[in-house]
Amino acid sequence: MLTAATIANFKTSLRGQAIEPLDQGYDEARALYNAMIDKRPRVIARCADVADVINAVNLGRDANLLIAIRGGGHNGPGLGSCDDGLVIDLSAMKGVRVDPASQTVRAGPGCTQGDVDHACHAFGLAVPAGIVSTTGLAGLTLGGGTGYLTRKYGLTIDNLIEADVVLADGRFVTASSSKNEDLFWALRGGGGNFGVVTSFVFRAHPASIVLAGPTMWEIKYARQIMQWYRDFLPKAPLELCTFLGLKTVPSTEPFPKDIWGKKIVALISCYNGSAEDGQKAMQPIRDELPDPILNWVGPMPFPAIQSMFDPLLPKGLQWYWKGAYVKDLPDRAIDVHLQYAMEAPSELSLMHLYPIDGAVHRVGKHDTPWNCRDGNWSMVIAAIAPDPAKSAQLKRWGRAYWEAVNPFTTGGGYVNFMMDDEGDTRIKATYGDNFERLVAVKRKYDPNNLFRVNQNIKP
Ligand SMILES: Cc1cc2nc3c(=O)[nH]c(=O)nc-3n(C[C@H](O)[C@H](O)[C@H](O)COP(=O)(O)OP(=O)(O)OC[C@H]3O[C@@H](n4cnc5c(N)ncnc54)[C@H](O)[C@@H]3O)c2cc1C
């Protein structure tokens, strides 16, 4: 039972803030990145430190409250919040410490991608993670983490060295390859199922000025470019990450007005190395493909490509997305993609194929819960628009597209590209033969499923 006295005691115990429905700032505090999701928690505990997290977990467990854990609040189905329960909001726990000597980075659970990129860039380093700077690092990491450095250095979880965790019983533990190894294994892809992570330590890699940016062609070239891309990518040097997108040119600056609203196929590239080597690696794009309608590839600091698309994707849009892992891109799959690309319900709606080959394949299938160590792409179909009236149409298109292309995927998909309508079968397919081991770790560390607002692994 959550009595007034319990809440009052909790508030006094916190170094951070407890925000309730009648408090000023409640609506702002509960708002999620995806405006399609509208949740009204009973209390939001904006934690300042680990002591606050321990207090919050103890409160939630003892008062029998539903608990959601919130890092960056970017989760598609809004799993960083819940109705009528307790949100453990970590957004204020943002510290980043880069150790240039050991090339390691300790980051707080409230860090965004941009916070970590910013701190690392001063040292010519980067942690392999996502491609939009406003995304929360915590949720991204616990699901896997793909981005421009993936082909060369692996997933974000492949670069995780250690994590501090507050468990369901309120205990604080450290997980690494030598401490609580089972928990460390499960954290690397198993999502927020096992406890509240209060600190991450990552391996960082050299990344400073990269050759990067988008190249766009009219959609009439999409078939040719997709066929070309499926052969080009596996042979490309691992320093080059080029992902493919079927999209529409946004009708806004800085895009040239004469191409606003045009359906396009895009290759978005980032070469992490010298400009000269990068030009060489991307030469086939210039030599072997038709003339693009836009080419913005150029040298830039790594954090610049990481935040290049932020302005197009502010908080507060409607999002419905679906993901899947893809090994091959046969012509019949391309037909499906082209059909749905032409029917996209809004300018922002898209399909992206993110490379997960190279270093991802060098990690064993059972070394982490991320089971797709032989796929070539993590696909996302994202239906996005500012207008809430469009939400039903976005869902219809996203679902229909995903169902149509599903026969050409592995059956599983990245947990961070799932909505909350996927069901247990999809989660099992995603983890494959790692699923039972995840269940065993869940039984050990969270037997009562206190942490269940996530892509849930039931104990
Ligand atoms: C615009 C955009 C771009 C994206 N780009 C990429 C990309 O390039 N690569 C990629 O891999 N993914 C990408 N994603 C997907 C992203 O990984 C997920 O949306 C992820 O859930 C975001 O994490 P968060 O911390 O912001 O989410 P939140 O909504 O805060 O949390 C999501 C879930 O993570 C868990 N969680 C969060 N913090 C903790 C913690 N400290 N301890 C335990 N559990 C926790 C909780 O279970 C929670 O339910 C992108 C998403 C968006 C919206």
Side-chain angles (χ1 to χ4, degrees), residues 152-232:
K152 177 75 178 169
Y153 298 118
L155 303 167
T156 311
I157 48 171
D158 301 335
N159 293 280
L160 182 65
I161 298 172
E162 189 180 287
D164 290 341
V165 190
V166 176
L167 300 173
D169 60 9
R171 272 185 307 137
F172 172 86
V173 296
T174 296
S176 69
S177 59
S178 58
K179 291 176 216 154
N180 300 298
E181 298 93 316
D182 51 355
L183 178 61
F184 184 56
W185 177 84
L187 289 175
R188 287 175 293 159
N193 271 282
F194 307 96
V196 185
V197 176
T198 56
S199 171
F200 297 88
V201 179
F202 298 102
R203 201 172 301 116
H205 302 275
S208 184
I209 301 295
V210 293
L211 187 68
T215 313
M216 299 175 181
W217 294 262
E218 286 182 66
I219 197 81
K220 66 181 180 193
Y221 296 118
R223 179 183 307 281
Q224 175 190 349
I225 290 173
M226 289 178 90
Q227 287 169 337
W228 175 89
Y229 172 73
R230 71 185 172 198
D231 298 329
F232 165 76

Side-chain angles (χ1 to χ4, degrees), residues 298-364:
M300 63 186 80
F302 185 65
I305 182 69
Q306 290 282 85
S307 51
M308 185 177 262
F309 302 107
D310 291 6
L312 295 176
L313 302 171
K315 183 175 176 176
L317 302 175
Q318 307 284 309
W319 283 71
Y320 183 83
W321 64 16
K322 292 288 207 189
Y325 295 134
V326 174
K327 274 189 194 167
D328 307 303
L329 203 53
D331 288 351
R332 282 182 304 139
I334 293 176
D335 290 341
V336 175
H337 284 297
L338 297 184
Q339 178 197 334
Y340 282 91
M342 295 314 291
E343 294 168 6
S346 64
E347 279 193 354
L348 288 171
S349 295
L350 55 85
M351 188 284 297
H352 283 171
L353 288 171
Y354 299 114
I356 49 168
D357 58 337
V360 180
H361 291 190
R362 288 203 292 268
V363 177

